[in-house]
Coordinates of all heavy atoms in Angstrom, one line a residue:
P1 N 279.3 60.9 266.4 CA 280.3 60.7 265.5 C 281.7 60.4 266.2 O 281.9 60.9 267.2 CB 280.4 62.0 264.7 CG 279.2 62.8 265.0 CD 278.7 62.2 266.3
Y2 N 282.5 59.6 265.5 CA 283.8 59.3 266.0 C 284.8 59.3 264.8 O 284.5 58.8 263.8 CB 283.9 58.0 266.7 CG 285.2 57.6 267.2 CD1 285.7 58.3 268.4 CD2 286.1 56.8 266.5 CE1 287.0 58.0 268.8 CE2 287.3 56.5 267.0 CZ 287.8 57.1 268.1 OH 289.1 56.9 268.5
D3 N 285.9 59.9 265.0 CA 287.0 60.0 264.0 C 288.1 59.0 264.4 O 288.7 59.2 265.4 CB 287.5 61.4 263.9 CG 288.5 61.6 262.8 OD1 289.0 60.6 262.2 OD2 288.8 62.7 262.4
Y4 N 288.3 58.0 263.6 CA 289.3 57.0 263.8 C 290.7 57.6 263.5 O 291.7 56.9 263.8 CB 289.1 55.7 263.0 CG 288.1 54.8 263.5 CD1 286.7 54.9 263.2 CD2 288.4 53.8 264.4 CE1 285.8 54.1 263.8 CE2 287.5 52.9 264.9 CZ 286.2 53.0 264.6 OH 285.3 52.2 265.1
G5 N 290.8 58.8 262.9 CA 292.0 59.4 262.6 C 292.6 58.8 261.3 O 291.9 58.1 260.6
I6 N 293.9 58.9 261.2 CA 294.6 58.4 260.0 C 295.0 57.0 260.2 O 295.6 56.6 261.2 CB 295.8 59.2 259.6 CG1 295.4 60.7 259.3 CG2 296.6 58.6 258.5 CD1 296.6 61.6 259.2
V7 N 294.5 56.1 259.4 CA 294.8 54.7 259.5 C 295.3 54.2 258.1 O 294.7 54.5 257.1 CB 293.5 53.8 259.8 CG1 293.8 52.4 259.9 CG2 292.9 54.3 261.1
A8 N 296.5 53.6 258.1 CA 297.1 53.1 256.8 C 296.2 52.1 256.1 O 295.5 51.4 256.8 CB 298.5 52.5 257.1
N9 N 296.3 52.1 254.8 CA 295.6 51.0 254.0 C 296.0 49.7 254.6 O 297.2 49.4 254.9 CB 296.1 51.0 252.6 CG 295.1 51.9 251.7 OD1 294.1 52.4 252.2 ND2 295.4 52.0 250.5
N10 N 295.0 48.8 254.8 CA 295.2 47.5 255.3 C 295.6 47.5 256.8 O 295.9 46.4 257.3 CB 296.2 46.6 254.5 CG 295.7 46.5 253.0 OD1 294.5 46.1 252.8 ND2 296.5 46.8 252.1
G11 N 295.6 48.6 257.4 CA 295.8 48.7 258.8 C 294.4 48.6 259.5 O 293.4 48.5 258.9
T12 N 294.4 48.6 260.9 CA 293.2 48.5 261.6 C 293.3 49.3 262.9 O 294.4 49.3 263.5 CB 292.9 47.0 262.0 OG1 292.7 46.2 260.9 CG2 291.6 46.9 262.9
R13 N 292.2 50.0 263.2 CA 292.1 50.7 264.5 C 290.8 50.4 265.1 O 289.8 50.4 264.3 CB 292.3 52.2 264.3 CG 292.3 52.9 265.7 CD 292.8 54.3 265.6 NE 294.2 54.4 265.1 CZ 294.7 55.4 264.4 NH1 294.0 56.4 264.1 NH2 296.0 55.3 264.1
S14 N 290.7 50.0 266.3 CA 289.4 49.7 266.9 C 289.0 50.7 268.0 O 289.8 51.5 268.5 CB 289.4 48.3 267.5 OG 290.4 48.2 268.6
R15 N 287.7 50.7 268.3 CA 287.2 51.6 269.3 C 286.0 51.0 270.0 O 285.2 50.3 269.4 CB 286.7 52.9 268.6 CG 285.8 53.8 269.4 CD 286.5 54.8 270.2 NE 285.5 55.8 270.6 CZ 285.6 56.4 271.8 NH1 286.6 56.1 272.6 NH2 284.7 57.2 272.2
I16 N 286.0 51.1 271.3 CA 284.8 50.6 272.1 C 283.8 51.7 272.2 O 284.2 52.9 272.6 CB 285.3 50.2 273.6 CG1 286.3 49.1 273.5 CG2 284.1 49.9 274.4 CD1 285.8 47.7 273.6
F17 N 282.6 51.4 271.8 CA 281.5 52.4 272.0 C 280.5 51.8 273.0 O 280.2 50.6 273.1 CB 280.7 52.5 270.6 CG 281.5 53.1 269.5 CD1 282.2 52.3 268.6 CD2 281.6 54.5 269.4 CE1 283.0 52.9 267.6 CE2 282.3 55.1 268.4 CZ 283.0 54.3 267.5
T18 N 280.0 52.7 273.9 CA 279.1 52.4 274.9 C 277.7 52.7 274.5 O 277.4 53.8 274.0 CB 279.4 53.1 276.2 OG1 280.8 52.8 276.6 CG2 278.5 52.8 277.3
I19 N 276.8 51.7 274.6 CA 275.4 51.8 274.3 C 274.7 52.0 275.7 O 274.9 51.2 276.6 CB 274.9 50.5 273.6 CG1 275.7 50.1 272.4 CG2 273.4 50.6 273.3 CD1 275.8 51.1 271.3
T20 N 273.7 52.9 275.7 CA 273.0 53.2 277.0 C 271.5 53.0 276.7 O 271.0 53.6 275.7 CB 273.3 54.6 277.5 OG1 274.7 54.7 277.7 CG2 272.5 54.8 278.8
N21 N 270.8 52.3 277.5 CA 269.3 52.2 277.5 C 268.8 53.3 278.4 O 268.8 53.2 279.6 CB 268.8 50.8 278.0 CG 267.3 50.7 277.9 OD1 266.6 51.7 277.7 ND2 266.8 49.5 278.2
T22 N 268.3 54.4 277.8 CA 267.8 55.5 278.5 C 266.3 55.4 278.8 O 265.8 56.3 279.5 CB 268.0 56.9 277.8 OG1 267.4 56.8 276.5 CG2 269.5 57.1 277.6
G23 N 265.7 54.3 278.4 CA 264.3 54.1 278.7 C 264.0 53.5 280.1 O 265.0 53.3 280.9
N24 N 262.8 53.2 280.3 CA 262.3 52.8 281.6 C 262.0 51.3 281.6 O 261.5 50.8 282.6 CB 261.1 53.5 282.1 CG 261.4 55.0 282.3 OD1 262.4 55.3 282.9 ND2 260.5 55.9 282.0
S25 N 262.3 50.6 280.5 CA 262.1 49.1 280.5 C 263.2 48.4 279.8 O 264.1 49.1 279.1 CB 260.8 48.8 279.8 OG 260.7 49.3 278.5
V26 N 263.3 47.1 279.9 CA 264.3 46.4 279.2 C 264.2 46.4 277.7 O 263.1 46.3 277.2 CB 264.3 44.9 279.7 CG1 265.3 44.0 279.0 CG2 264.5 44.8 281.2
A27 N 265.3 46.7 277.0 CA 265.3 46.6 275.6 C 265.7 45.2 275.2 O 266.7 44.7 275.7 CB 266.4 47.6 275.0
T28 N 264.8 44.5 274.5 CA 265.1 43.1 274.1 C 265.3 43.0 272.6 O 265.0 43.9 271.9 CB 263.9 42.3 274.5 OG1 262.7 42.7 273.8 CG2 263.6 42.3 276.0
G29 N 265.8 41.9 272.2 CA 266.0 41.6 270.8 C 267.1 42.6 270.2 O 266.9 42.9 269.0
L30 N 268.1 43.0 270.9 CA 269.1 43.8 270.3 C 269.7 43.2 269.1 O 270.1 42.0 269.1 CB 270.2 44.1 271.4 CG 270.0 45.3 272.2 CD1 268.9 45.2 273.2 CD2 271.3 45.7 273.0
L31 N 269.8 44.0 268.0 CA 270.2 43.5 266.7 C 271.0 44.6 266.0 O 270.5 45.7 265.9 CB 269.1 43.0 265.9 CG 269.4 42.6 264.5 CD1 270.2 41.3 264.5 CD2 268.1 42.3 263.7
E32 N 272.2 44.3 265.6 CA 273.0 45.3 264.9 C 272.7 45.2 263.4 O 272.6 44.2 262.8 CB 274.5 45.0 265.1 CG 275.4 45.9 264.4 CD 275.6 45.7 262.9 OE1 275.7 44.5 262.5 OE2 275.6 46.6 262.1
T33 N 272.5 46.4 262.8 CA 272.3 46.5 261.4 C 273.1 47.7 260.9 O 273.4 48.7 261.6 CB 270.8 46.7 261.0 OG1 270.4 47.9 261.6 CG2 270.0 45.5 261.4
G34 N 273.5 47.7 259.6 CA 274.1 48.9 259.0 C 275.6 48.9 259.0 O 276.2 49.7 258.3
L35 N 276.3 48.1 259.7 CA 277.7 48.1 259.8 C 278.3 47.4 258.6 O 278.0 46.2 258.3 CB 278.3 47.4 261.1 CG 279.7 47.7 261.4 CD1 280.0 49.1 261.7 CD2 280.1 46.9 262.7
A36 N 279.1 48.1 257.8 CA 279.6 47.5 256.5 C 281.1 47.9 256.3 O 281.5 48.9 256.9 CB 278.8 48.0 255.3
A37 N 281.8 47.1 255.5 CA 283.2 47.4 255.3 C 283.4 48.8 254.8 O 282.5 49.4 254.1 CB 283.7 46.4 254.2
P38 N 284.4 49.5 255.3 CA 285.6 49.0 255.9 C 285.5 48.9 257.5 O 286.5 48.8 258.2 CB 286.6 50.0 255.5 CG 285.9 51.3 255.5 CD 284.6 50.9 254.9
F39 N 284.2 48.9 258.0 CA 284.0 48.8 259.4 C 283.5 47.4 259.7 O 282.9 46.7 258.9 CB 283.0 49.8 259.9 CG 283.4 51.2 259.6 CD1 283.0 51.9 258.4 CD2 284.2 51.9 260.5 CE1 283.4 53.2 258.2 CE2 284.6 53.2 260.2 CZ 284.2 53.8 259.1
G40 N 283.8 46.9 260.9 CA 283.3 45.6 261.3 C 283.6 45.4 262.8 O 284.3 46.2 263.4
F41 N 283.0 44.4 263.3 CA 283.3 44.1 264.8 C 284.6 43.4 264.9 O 285.0 42.5 264.1 CB 282.1 43.2 265.3 CG 280.9 44.0 265.5 CD1 279.8 43.7 264.6 CD2 280.7 44.9 266.5 CE1 278.6 44.4 264.8 CE2 279.5 45.6 266.7 CZ 278.5 45.4 265.8
V42 N 285.3 43.8 265.9 CA 286.6 43.1 266.2 C 286.3 41.6 266.5 O 285.4 41.3 267.3 CB 287.3 43.8 267.4 CG1 288.5 43.0 267.9 CG2 287.6 45.2 267.1
G43 N 286.9 40.7 265.8 CA 286.6 39.3 266.0 C 285.5 38.9 265.0 O 285.1 37.7 265.1
S44 N 285.0 39.8 264.2 CA 284.0 39.5 263.2 C 282.5 39.4 263.6 O 281.7 39.5 262.7 CB 284.3 38.2 262.4 OG 285.6 38.3 261.9
T45 N 282.2 39.3 264.8 CA 280.8 39.2 265.2 C 280.4 40.1 266.3 O 281.2 40.5 267.1 CB 280.4 37.7 265.6 OG1 281.2 37.4 266.7 CG2 280.6 36.7 264.5
Y46 N 279.1 40.5 266.3 CA 278.6 41.4 267.4 C 278.7 40.7 268.7 O 278.5 39.5 268.8 CB 277.1 41.6 267.1 CG 276.3 42.2 268.2 CD1 276.2 43.6 268.3 CD2 275.5 41.4 269.0 CE1 275.5 44.2 269.4 CE2 274.8 42.0 270.0 CZ 274.8 43.4 270.2 OH 274.0 43.9 271.2
P47 N 279.1 41.3 269.7 CA 279.4 42.8 269.9 C 280.9 43.1 269.7 O 281.3 44.2 270.1 CB 279.0 43.0 271.4 CG 279.4 41.7 272.1 CD 279.1 40.6 271.0
G48 N 281.7 42.2 269.2 CA 283.1 42.4 269.0 C 283.8 41.9 270.2 O 283.3 41.9 271.3
T49 N 285.1 41.4 270.0 CA 285.9 40.9 271.1 C 286.0 42.0 272.2 O 286.4 43.2 271.9 CB 287.3 40.6 270.6 OG1 287.1 39.6 269.5 CG2 288.2 40.0 271.7
G50 N 285.7 41.7 273.4 CA 285.7 42.6 274.5 C 284.4 43.4 274.7 O 284.2 44.1 275.7
G51 N 283.5 43.2 273.7 CA 282.2 43.9 273.9 C 281.3 43.1 274.9 O 281.5 41.9 275.1
T52 N 280.4 43.8 275.5 CA 279.6 43.2 276.5 C 278.1 43.2 276.2 O 277.3 42.7 277.0 CB 279.8 44.0 277.8 OG1 279.4 45.4 277.6 CG2 281.2 43.9 278.3
C53 N 277.7 43.7 275.1 CA 276.3 43.7 274.7 C 275.8 42.3 274.4 O 276.5 41.5 273.8 CB 276.0 44.7 273.5 SG 276.2 46.4 273.9
G54 N 274.6 42.0 274.7 CA 274.0 40.8 274.4 C 272.6 41.0 273.7 O 272.5 42.0 273.0
A55 N 271.7 40.1 274.0 CA 270.4 40.2 273.3 C 269.4 41.1 274.0 O 268.4 41.5 273.4 CB 269.7 38.8 273.3
S56 N 269.7 41.6 275.2 CA 268.9 42.5 275.9 C 269.7 43.5 276.8 O 270.9 43.2 277.0 CB 267.9 41.8 276.8 OG 268.6 41.1 277.8
L57 N 269.1 44.6 277.1 CA 269.8 45.6 277.9 C 268.8 46.2 278.9 O 267.8 46.8 278.5 CB 270.4 46.7 277.0 CG 271.3 47.7 277.6 CD1 272.5 47.1 278.3 CD2 271.7 48.7 276.6
G58 N 269.1 46.1 280.2 CA 268.2 46.6 281.2 C 268.0 48.1 281.2 O 268.8 48.8 280.6
A59 N 266.9 48.5 281.8 CA 266.6 50.0 281.9 C 267.7 50.7 282.6 O 268.2 50.2 283.6 CB 265.3 50.2 282.6
G60 N 268.2 51.7 282.0 CA 269.3 52.5 282.6 C 270.7 51.8 282.5 O 271.7 52.4 283.0
A61 N 270.8 50.7 281.9 CA 272.0 49.9 281.8 C 272.8 50.3 280.6 O 272.3 50.9 279.7 CB 271.7 48.4 281.8
T62 N 274.1 49.9 280.6 CA 275.0 50.2 279.5 C 275.7 48.9 279.1 O 275.8 47.9 279.9 CB 276.1 51.2 279.8 OG1 276.9 50.7 280.9 CG2 275.5 52.6 280.3
C63 N 276.2 48.8 277.9 CA 277.0 47.7 277.4 C 277.9 48.3 276.3 O 277.7 49.4 275.9 CB 276.2 46.6 276.9 SG 275.2 46.9 275.4
D64 N 278.9 47.5 275.9 CA 279.9 48.0 275.0 C 279.9 47.1 273.7 O 279.7 45.9 273.7 CB 281.3 47.9 275.6 CG 281.5 48.8 276.8 OD1 280.9 49.9 276.8 OD2 282.2 48.5 277.7
I65 N 280.2 47.8 272.6 CA 280.5 47.1 271.3 C 281.9 47.6 270.9 O 282.3 48.7 271.2 CB 279.5 47.4 270.2 CG1 279.4 48.9 269.9 CG2 278.1 46.9 270.6 CD1 278.5 49.3 268.7
N66 N 282.6 46.7 270.2 CA 284.0 47.0 269.8 C 284.0 47.0 268.3 O 283.9 45.9 267.6 CB 285.0 45.9 270.4 CG 286.4 46.4 270.3 OD1 286.7 47.4 269.7 ND2 287.3 45.5 270.8
V67 N 284.2 48.1 267.7 CA 284.1 48.3 266.2 C 285.5 48.7 265.7 O 286.2 49.6 266.2 CB 283.1 49.4 265.8 CG1 283.1 49.6 264.3 CG2 281.7 49.1 266.4
A68 N 285.9 48.0 264.6 CA 287.2 48.2 264.0 C 287.0 48.9 262.6 O 286.0 48.7 261.9 CB 287.9 46.9 263.7
F69 N 288.0 49.8 262.3 CA 288.1 50.4 261.0 C 289.3 49.9 260.3 O 290.4 50.0 260.8 CB 288.2 51.9 261.2 CG 288.4 52.7 259.9 CD1 287.6 52.6 258.8 CD2 289.5 53.6 259.9 CE1 287.8 53.3 257.6 CE2 289.7 54.4 258.7 CZ 288.9 54.2 257.6
S70 N 289.1 49.2 259.1 CA 290.2 48.6 258.4 C 290.1 49.0 256.9 O 289.6 48.3 256.1 CB 290.0 47.1 258.5 OG 290.1 46.7 259.8
P71 N 290.6 50.2 256.6 CA 290.5 50.7 255.2 C 291.3 49.9 254.2 O 292.4 49.4 254.5 CB 291.0 52.2 255.3 CG 292.0 52.1 256.5 CD 291.4 51.1 257.4
T72 N 290.8 49.9 253.0 CA 291.6 49.2 251.9 C 291.8 50.2 250.7 O 292.4 49.8 249.7 CB 290.8 48.0 251.4 OG1 289.5 48.3 250.9 CG2 290.8 46.9 252.5
V73 N 291.2 51.4 250.8 CA 291.4 52.4 249.8 C 291.8 53.7 250.6 O 291.4 53.9 251.7 CB 290.2 52.6 248.9 CG1 289.9 51.4 248.1 CG2 289.0 53.0 249.8
L74 N 292.4 54.7 249.9 CA 292.8 55.9 250.4 C 291.6 56.9 250.5 O 290.6 56.8 249.7 CB 293.9 56.6 249.6 CG 295.2 55.9 249.6 CD1 296.1 56.6 248.6 CD2 295.8 55.8 250.9
G75 N 291.6 57.8 251.4 CA 290.6 58.8 251.5 C 289.6 58.7 252.7 O 289.6 57.6 253.3
P76 N 288.9 59.7 252.9 CA 287.9 59.7 254.0 C 286.8 58.7 253.7 O 286.4 58.5 252.6 CB 287.3 61.1 254.0 CG 288.3 62.0 253.3 CD 288.9 61.0 252.3
Q77 N 286.4 58.0 254.8 CA 285.3 57.0 254.7 C 284.4 57.2 255.9 O 284.8 57.6 257.0 CB 285.9 55.6 254.6 CG 286.8 55.5 253.4 CD 287.5 54.2 253.4 OE1 286.9 53.1 253.5 NE2 288.8 54.2 253.3
S78 N 283.1 56.8 255.7 CA 282.2 56.9 256.8 C 281.3 55.7 256.9 O 281.2 55.0 255.9 CB 281.4 58.2 256.7 OG 280.6 58.2 255.6
G79 N 280.6 55.5 258.0 CA 279.7 54.4 258.1 C 278.8 54.6 259.3 O 279.1 55.6 260.1
N80 N 277.9 53.8 259.5 CA 276.9 53.9 260.6 C 276.7 52.5 261.2 O 276.8 51.5 260.5 CB 275.5 54.4 260.2 CG 275.6 55.8 259.8 OD1 276.0 56.7 260.5 ND2 275.2 56.1 258.5
V81 N 276.5 52.4 262.5 CA 276.1 51.2 263.2 C 274.8 51.5 263.8 O 274.7 52.6 264.5 CB 277.2 50.7 264.2 CG1 277.5 51.7 265.2 CG2 276.7 49.4 264.7
V82 N 273.8 50.7 263.6 CA 272.5 50.9 264.2 C 272.2 49.7 265.1 O 272.3 48.5 264.6 CB 271.4 51.0 263.1 CG1 270.0 51.1 263.7 CG2 271.7 52.2 262.2
I83 N 271.8 49.9 266.3 CA 271.4 48.8 267.2 C 269.8 48.9 267.3 O 269.3 49.9 267.9 CB 272.0 48.9 268.6 CG1 273.6 49.0 268.5 CG2 271.6 47.8 269.5 CD1 274.2 47.8 268.0
S84 N 269.2 48.0 266.7 CA 267.7 47.9 266.8 C 267.3 47.1 268.0 O 268.0 46.3 268.5 CB 267.1 47.3 265.6 OG 267.5 48.0 264.4
Y85 N 266.1 47.3 268.5 CA 265.6 46.6 269.7 C 264.1 46.6 269.7 O 263.4 47.4 269.0 CB 266.1 47.2 271.0 CG 265.7 48.6 271.2 CD1 264.6 48.9 271.9 CD2 266.4 49.7 270.6 CE1 264.2 50.2 272.1 CE2 266.1 51.0 270.8 CZ 264.9 51.3 271.5 OH 264.5 52.6 271.7
N86 N 263.5 45.8 270.6 CA 262.0 45.8 270.8 C 261.7 46.6 272.0 O 262.5 46.6 272.9 CB 261.5 44.3 271.0 CG 261.7 43.5 269.7 OD1 261.6 44.0 268.6 ND2 261.9 42.2 269.9

């Protein structure tokens, strides 16, 4: 979990998250699912501006995604990002 803190309506705060392949083989077909407004990738597409994740991730390797929180209503909000792979 990560708390973006207090963000004004129509404001934006971004965060780089690191993805780690803890397995012993290459993870292929990386695909993001589950990310919905008020969350999104910085620059609109996976992995987000400045993100380094691609379609595969080597064994023991890491990459980054850049996720923004841009609320349009008051109050606490939550969401999930899921990275699926083969």
Side-chain angles (χ1 to χ4, degrees):
Y2 179 76
D3 185 345
Y4 281 88
I6 297 170
V7 180
N9 268 357
N10 301 309
T12 298
R13 184 169 297 154
S14 63
R15 163 90 167 143
I16 300 270
F17 294 95
T18 299
I19 308 298
T20 303
N21 179 352
T22 59
N24 294 322
S25 60
V26 175
T28 60
L30 269 68
L31 176 66
E32 179 282 321
T33 59
L35 194 61
F39 301 93
F41 288 106
V42 174
S44 300
T45 58
Y46 168 85
T49 303
T52 59
C53 292
S56 64
L57 186 59
T62 63
C63 66
D64 296 326
I65 59 173
N66 194 358
V67 178
F69 173 53
S70 302
T72 58
V73 297
L74 295 176
Q77 298 174 55
S78 64
N80 291 303
V81 59
V82 176
I83 306 294
S84 302
Y85 62 93
N86 294 327

